[in-house]
Amino acid sequence: MRPITYSRATDPQSAVATVSADPTSDYLAGGTTEIDLLRQYVLQPRRLVDINALPLAGIESTPEGGLRIGATTRMSDAAAAPEVRERFPMLSEALEKGASPQLRHMASLGGNLLQRVRCSYFRDPLAPCNKREPDSGCSALTGHSRDHAVLGTSEHCIAAHPSDAAVALTALDASVHTLGPGGERTYPLDDFFLLPGDSPHREHPMAHGELITAVEVPPTPVARRSLYLKVRDRASYEFALVSVAAALSVVDGRIADIRVALGGAATKPWRARRVEDFLVGEVAERRAFAQAAQVELAEARPTPMNAFKVELAQRALVRALGTLAEGTGLEDGSPA
Ligand SMILES: Cc1cc2nc3c(=O)[nH]c(=O)nc-3n(C[C@H](O)[C@H](O)[C@H](O)COP(=O)(O)OP(=O)(O)OC[C@H]3O[C@@H](n4cnc5c(N)ncnc54)[C@H](O)[C@@H]3O)c2cc1C
């Protein structure tokens, strides 16, 4: 039995002051990650500060035409919001394809970004894991690695980033707003998630006690024509083997604007900039999509167990872009 102090924060500043002052404390939002890991002895906080009563839920349009989604907004509420569905379908779909209805009703957007990896060695306190215990080793490198990453890996960690919503938000150039002991900060999402390198225990740049207050999505007209394709072992209630968040605008048969990010295949939500750079100005055809996908995956470093993800990611990219291009000038619309 480990005693834990529980308190309910009533204003953001005192929540930040409480957690910042105590290195053994954690925030508690929906609890769908935190409580799991606490029960598994992976996290051992002595204090939990519940942030659900803070005024951090809700979605509002920004004056520029983007959205500001509060950190404690439930995944199900964000997925169902008309402004998310209409303006950013890829985000609505990514949220809806995550977890199960019960979990989505509990889980918050801030917690979703900070959920921990599903690597079975990270979740087994007896197994060496550099992410859980720095310099203890990476069991996945020689162990079971079917679900692990092929992009952005290091010799210290190959765990795949698990969040679906973060993949769509990365494609959308979203940013994370926080409140810390030093005041407010904003992080572009692509800089917020860190590659494992030689310090896989550092997953983001926030200081202990820094509180995510909101996620902001800038106005992105191309996102009105977007989707989230999630390839998984079963049709629901399952993490992605590979996923693609994509938005496409085709003018006179050529690609005028494009946003692409990959999930399930990388150690962080993976902005597929090589795909974007390759395809802008190209004819929207299957052959170009396949070439771009090959370029993106050229730096993949798979293990023998997850080598299938390299081809799967390429096929998923072609399928996602082909689906978006259908009826907008795609020369060969046959599915990948
Ligand atoms: C069975 C199962 C299946 C799942 N499947 C999927 C899936 O397919 N796709 C997917 O994307 N996710 C999936 N998830 C993960 C789920 O989406 C996350 O557990 C959830 O989003 C976390 O949100 P929460 O509010 O419950 O966070 P919590 O568990 O409360 O918190 C998670 C972490 O974030 C910290 N935290 C929370 N809010 C803040 C904040 N505002 N500021 C700073 N720190 C904060 C907490 O201290 C904690 O460390 C699954 C989870 C389970 C249990």
Side-chain angles (χ1 to χ4, degrees):
M1 193 84 139
R2 280 174 299 127
I4 294 178
T5 306
Y6 169 89
S7 61
R8 198 179 281 259
T10 50
D11 72 277
Q13 283 76 11
S14 59
V16 169
T18 306
V19 175
S20 301
D22 178 0
T24 71
S25 60
D26 275 344
Y27 292 118
L28 182 69
T32 62
T33 284
E34 184 73 23
I35 302 296
D36 266 8
L37 294 178
L38 197 148
R39 287 192 176 131
Q40 290 170 270
Y41 295 92
V42 174
L43 298 178
Q44 307 210 2
R46 300 219 170 271
R47 179 193 298 275
L48 287 177
V49 176
D50 187 330
I51 57 171
N52 289 296
L54 298 181
L56 298 178
I59 301 175
E60 49 189 61
S61 289
T62 61
E64 305 78 37
L67 289 180
R68 188 180 164 100
I69 310 176
T72 56
T73 307
R74 302 296 142 178
M75 284 171 70
S76 50
D77 291 337
E83 53 273 59
V84 179
R85 278 188 186 284
E86 281 156 28
R87 288 193 255 159
F88 306 99
M90 66 157 77
L91 178 56
S92 171
E93 288 175 23
L95 286 160
E96 229 156 41
K97 290 176 179 173
S100 66
Q102 292 92 335
L103 283 159
R104 293 195 293 272
H105 286 319
M106 285 296 291
S108 65
L109 186 62
N112 186 285
L113 298 184
L114 295 180
Q115 64 175 293
R116 309 301 299 278
V117 298
R118 308 306 290 194
C119 173
S120 54
Y121 303 106
F122 170 77
R123 286 173 182 254
D124 173 2
L126 299 177
C129 168
N130 288 323
K131 193 179 270 300
R132 184 172 25 76
E133 201 183 321
D135 301 324
S136 61
C138 173
S139 305
L141 283 174
T142 51
H144 193 79
S145 57
R146 178 178 179 272
D147 297 335
H148 289 64
V150 298
L151 290 165
T153 56
S154 76
E155 70 254 42
H156 303 285
C157 183
I158 59 171
H161 196 278
S163 166
D164 289 300
V167 179
L169 290 166
T170 295
L172 292 168
D173 287 318
S175 49
V176 176
H177 294 280
T178 69
L179 178 68
E184 294 180 4
R185 291 196 65 168
T186 301
Y187 302 90
L189 209 70
D190 210 17
D191 300 339
F192 183 75
F193 295 109
L194 305 178
L195 289 170
D198 58 7
S199 54
H201 58 287
R202 283 197 73 230
E203 296 179 341
H204 54 72
M206 291 197 301
H208 178 76
E210 212 168 325
L211 175 73
I212 297 181
T213 51
V215 173
E216 188 167 334
V217 188
T220 317
V222 67
R224 283 186 180 269
R225 189 172 181 79
S226 66
L227 58 74
Y228 187 72
L229 173 66
K230 183 169 176 179
V231 184
R232 43 189 161 172
D233 281 331
R234 56 182 177 202
S236 74
Y237 200 20
E238 186 58 279
F239 287 89
L241 285 170
V242 159
S243 67
V244 180
L248 191 69
S249 150
V250 179
V251 178
D252 297 333
R254 291 195 179 267
I255 296 168
D257 200 357
I258 179 168
R259 299 279 192 287
V260 188
L262 281 171
T267 51
K268 64 180 264 186
W270 192 261
R271 183 71 179 266
R273 293 199 190 275
R274 289 186 177 90
V275 169
E276 296 176 358
D277 293 346
F278 187 95
L279 287 176
V280 171
E282 289 292 320
V283 174
E285 60 173 353
R286 190 178 182 283
R287 193 179 42 222
F289 299 153
Q291 284 173 345
Q294 232 172 15
V295 171
E296 188 69 56
L297 271 297
E299 68 174 62
R301 297 283 172 270
T303 66
M305 269 190 207
N306 69 10
F308 73 97
K309 281 196 178 187
V310 178
E311 186 174 348
L312 190 63
Q314 293 181 50
R315 284 172 176 254
L317 279 165
V318 175
R319 177 174 289 240
L321 294 170
T323 303
L324 288 171
E326 262 166 35
T328 63
L330 181 70
E331 282 183 352
D332 172 9
S334 55

